[in-house]
Each structure stands twice: as structure tokens, then as C-alpha cells.
Amino acid sequence: MSVFTAATDQSVCTPLPVLGGDVTVPLVTGGEVTYAALDYAASAPALQRVWDDVAAYAPYYGSVHRGAGYLSQLSTDLFENARRTVAGFLGCRADDQVIFTRSTTDSLNLLARALPADCQVFVFETEHHASLLPWQDARVTYLDAPRTPRQAVEILERALADRTVSIEGGYGPALVCVTGASNVTGELWPVRELAAAAHAHGARIVLDAAQLAPHHPVNIRDLDVDWVAFSGHKLYAPFGSGVLAGRADWLRAAEPYLAGGGASRKVTRRQDGGVDVEWHESAARHEAGSPNVIGAYSIASACKALTEAGWDTLVAREQHLIAKVRAGLAEVPEVRVLSLFGDDAPRVGVISFVVEGWNSSHFAAALSAEYGIGVRDGLFCAHPLVRTLLGTDPQSQGECGAPEAAPGEKSLNAIRVSFGAGTPDEHVERFVTAVAELVRDGAKWQYRTEEGRCVPAV
């Protein structure tokens, strides 16, 4: 019933058009340069297609569900069509639910609230905090970092075989939470094999696809996972929405994640003064309040854009960029790239490293201030993993401290460069040139610590 025409230019560009590609930033050494956004793993820029689709819809924005007006009905139709688009993008099963949330973190916290009583959760220490921390109210088994994909499966199989008996006898329900691609190393995890191990031991599995979905196709049925969680802002749709998709039974049995309008089907007063509530059993059960229709629509737009661009093309281009970065870093002996599974492991465009003689915050600040390159430094909301990868290697405090370092704590932090479908070759070429120059010549500017961040000294 749409009366507007969304963006329809589907020509496959190399790279895909994104907002901000022509933004210039000042350099402390003088002049300006086009900004090289190489922090996609934190938040990817919006695809131009997504922005155009949202702009085309914006004049028709209205309340979602239950509104009698035309714009409300149009927005409701758009919202529910977005749900179907996401289901298709993920290859959902016929009875799966697609729930719109705020982010991957929100999605996994929702699932944590829906766990059956006495559920035991298994999670590797290598996870992002979004998938490491939501399970605090469950019986959690934290698994050591594996050093090969095969070892990851073996560790999980042993843990599931040795799991504790529930308070009601027997093993009870169990859930495995695993990432698809590491937000620190970019390495792909053996999701299909881990899912097979989980199911062989009567457990379910949820896939944190925050870093996988923007780089590779994710199919629930092919991977045989029970749930998938991802964020719009990493999928080129930065409008405050995320997704939890998968099996409906635990979600239908759980109390609503949020109590309020939209989640309730019927509310009546009791004679004793209280209220009785009948909750929806559909996805609406966990979508209380006015839905973020623009966020949901933007995710659907990104799903369509990536699918239409062609995953083979997108993956091939990204592998081309990965090869350029890795080859450039390999030319600098002082650089050590962080890895769990080794140099030959398949990966997405996320690479973390340390530089001998440099504090990582200082190095990242120099990349930004002197070269107009945006990367990330720190522990990347994956503190146990980064600390495992860094081990006890001495870290030079340098001129600036790591933002995560507590008073008196040794400065442990790394640098992360990440890129994707919108990254031009020039950005990664400038990055590898800058790394080599900084290591060879040092920074051209002086830096200091201000409120925990390394910044150019004025």
C-alpha cells in the first residue's frame, strides 16, 4: 500500500555508497584530508540506499499498530514487511519469531530473561561483553579461549558432557552462546560444528552475529542455530534497532521483556483491586511501547541492499582489502597482529594489533590527528579475550595511557582497524602507509592524556 517510491538504484558499486565518504577533517600538522573511517566494527556508516529509503518514508511516518489513520496503517505495513524481510535475510524457519530490539546487547539480554528455570549457559571467554555478561542470573559455565576451531568444538563438547545436574534432577535446559566472527580478531568461528555439538548434547545455541551479518550471509537453517542476534548500526543502518530471531517457544513462555502497551492483548481489573494481564504470544510480547519503525525499516533496507549487491561480490572485495592490510602490516616488524586461530584462519575485515614501543592509545591518536584515520584502541568490550591475546607482553606506557587502565594497572590495550562494504582502497592504503611512517619516524606531534583519552597537546 506504499505511496512513496524508495531509492531504486541497485547498481553494484565498488565500494557501496555510504554517507560520510566525502567528509574532510583537519590535521594537527596543517590542512585537511578526507576522513578514512576504519572503525566499522563499532558502528558502520549508513548505506546511501538506507538513508534514501528512510528519507523517502519519513513524510509518511505514523504510529505503528492499532491506528485507524492512513499513515498509521502505512507505517504498520512497513514495520511488518520489515519483519518479513529480515526473516528472509536470515533464512528463518516458518515458526521462528523476528523481534525488533535496540541492539545485539538488547537482544541477548532479552533472551537471557526468557531462559527456562535452571537453564545452564555455556559461553567462551572470548565473547564480546554483549554475549558474555547477560547470563548472570543463570548457571553459567565460562569456557577457556580455544586456539583452533577444532579445539573450540572439543572444549564445548567436554563441557556439555560434564555439565551439572539441575536442582530437579537430570540435566535440564542448556544454552550455548557463541560469536560468528570475533570483534577483536575478525576470525570466523565454526558455528555449524558448534551447533551440532550443542544439539547432540540436548542444548540450544544462540549466534551473536553482530560482526558476521555485515560481512557474510547468515542463514539460521544452514547453520542450524536456534537464535541469531545482530545490530542495525553495524549493518549500515544506524537508527537504533537490532534483531533477535529464532525459536518461539522460550520467548512465548517468558514474561514480557518490557511490560506495557503493545505487549498486552487484554488487561482487566480484579475485584481485589489488582489487574489481570493476557500477553501476546507473537513477537509483540517483547516489543512493548511504540516500535522503532524507522530503525526496523532501515535494517530491512540494509538487508535488501546487501543481498542485491551480491554476497560473492561483497566478500571478494572485502578479502581484497584484508589482504592489503595484512600484507602492509607484515612489512613492519614492530607490528604484532592478534590472533586466536593463526594466520590462515578465515576472517572478516576486523584486525587488531599492537606496536612494539608504542602505547596503543598514543598510536591511534596519532593516526587520527596526523593522518585523518579513525580506528579504535583499548580492549574493545572483550576484556578477557584481549588480555588473553596480549598475555604478559610488556606494554610501553608511552605518552598516553589506555582508557581502560585502572590507576596503578599495567596498560594493556590494542589497536583495531575494521572496514567493510563502503571502504575504498585509498583508506586502507593510507592506513598501512601511516603505520609504517609512524613506526619509522615517530609522531610529528606531542600528545597528552586528557580524561582518560590520548589527545594532541595544544
Side-chain angles (χ1 to χ4, degrees):
M1 61 185 295
S2 175
V3 297
F4 61 88
T5 302
T8 57
D9 182 8
Q10 300 306 316
S11 59
V12 178
C13 298
T14 306
L16 295 184
V18 295
L19 295 185
D22 57 353
V23 168
T24 60
V25 294
L27 303 179
V28 293
T29 51
E32 292 187 342
V33 67
T34 302
Y35 184 64
L38 297 178
D39 193 16
Y40 275 46
S43 283
L47 285 174
Q48 185 67 50
R49 155 75 177 270
V50 171
W51 187 261
D52 291 345
D53 282 352
V54 168
Y57 160 65
Y60 301 90
Y61 173 81
S63 64
V64 176
H65 299 144
R66 298 171 302 282
Y70 182 82
L71 296 191
S72 178
Q73 293 181 46
L74 176 65
S75 295
T76 298
D77 184 61
L78 202 77
F79 185 72
E80 294 303 332
N81 279 334
R83 199 189 305 277
R84 287 185 281 273
T85 296
V86 172
F89 179 75
L90 295 174
C92 287
R93 298 162 291 243
D95 56 351
D96 283 341
Q97 285 189 349
V98 173
I99 298 173
F100 287 115
T101 65
R102 293 176 295 178
S103 60
T104 307
T105 302
D106 197 36
S107 296
L108 293 171
N109 275 271
L110 190 165
L111 184 60
R113 286 277 298 273
L115 295 180
D118 205 34
C119 184
Q120 189 169 3
V121 178
F122 297 84
V123 56
F124 286 93
E125 69 172 356
T126 48
E127 293 292 307
H128 185 282
H129 294 170
S131 47
L132 184 73
L133 301 180
W135 323 104
Q136 300 297 311
D137 293 335
R139 294 186 296 143
V140 187
T141 298
Y142 295 104
L143 308 176
D144 293 337
R147 287 299 182 168
T148 66
R150 179 65 243 173
Q151 190 180 65
V153 178
E154 292 169 351
I155 289 171
L156 178 61
E157 287 177 331
R158 286 197 299 270
L160 289 169
D162 295 341
R163 71 184 189 269
T164 57
V165 175
S166 72
I167 57 177
E168 297 178 354
Y171 288 120
L175 177 70
V176 176
C177 180
V178 67
T179 190
S182 171
N183 78 301
V184 176
T185 67
E187 293 164 315
L188 298 179
W189 277 61
V191 176
R192 189 177 288 104
E193 292 81 359
L194 291 167
H199 294 153
H201 289 274
R204 296 189 180 190
I205 185 168
V206 56
L207 171 63
D208 174 352
Q211 299 297 338
L212 185 62
H215 303 276
H216 276 271
V218 175
N219 189 291
I220 285 181
R221 286 173 294 185
D222 289 350
L223 295 172
D224 197 23
V225 295
D226 298 281
W227 293 277
V228 167
F230 70 89
S231 296
H233 71 98
K234 298 184 192 297
L235 196 77
Y236 311 99
F239 292 93
S241 195
V243 167
L244 176 67
R247 302 201 182 277
D249 53 349
W250 286 9
L251 299 169
R252 286 175 179 154
E255 288 295 304
Y257 183 47
L258 296 173
S264 55
R265 175 186 289 136
K266 181 181 179 182
V267 180
T268 56
R269 287 293 301 272
R270 297 195 305 262
Q271 289 186 349
D272 64 7
V275 295
D276 288 322
V277 185
E278 181 181 336
W279 303 106
H280 281 293
E281 292 190 353
S282 65
R285 184 183 189 90
H286 298 291
E287 294 178 342
S290 295
N292 179 2
V293 58
I294 287 180
Y297 182 46
S298 69
I299 286 181
S301 173
C303 290
K304 290 179 181 178
L306 294 173
T307 301
E308 292 165 3
W311 279 112
D312 289 346
T313 299
L314 295 174
V315 171
R317 169 159 177 77
E318 185 170 313
Q319 292 304 309
H320 159 75
L321 296 177
I322 291 170
K324 278 196 171 191
V325 173
R326 286 172 59 81
L329 294 179
E331 292 293 319
V332 184
E334 293 84 354
V335 169
R336 178 166 72 91
V337 174
L338 305 183
S339 174
L340 271 176
F341 300 153
D343 288 343
D344 295 332
R347 66 193 71 227
V348 299
V350 179
I351 299 169
S352 296
F353 62 98
V354 292
V355 183
E356 183 181 345
W358 283 80
N359 175 273
S360 295
S361 295
H362 184 194
F363 200 88
L367 285 173
S368 174
E370 300 178 26
Y371 294 91
I373 298 170
V375 297
R376 180 152 295 220
D377 65 278
L379 300 177
F380 318 126
C381 293
H383 294 189
L385 171 57
V386 179
R387 291 178 185 279
T388 293
L389 294 172
L390 293 177
T392 57
D393 288 356
Q395 298 290 302
S396 171
Q397 185 66 26
E399 298 179 46
C400 295
E404 287 88 354
E409 181 184 46
K410 183 171 67 172
S411 176
L412 286 173
N413 62 331
I415 305 151
R416 184 182 71 191
V417 56
S418 54
F419 40 88
T423 305
D425 282 49
E426 187 277 327
H427 287 186
V428 299
E429 291 164 357
R430 192 196 321 170
F431 166 75
V432 296
T433 298
V435 170
E437 288 183 359
L438 282 172
V439 172
R440 184 187 67 234
D441 304 329
K444 301 180 181 69
W445 206 260
Q446 295 296 313
Y447 296 82
R448 60 186 175 83
T449 301
E450 181 177 291
E451 297 181 353
R453 296 297 312 171
C454 189
V455 297
V458 178

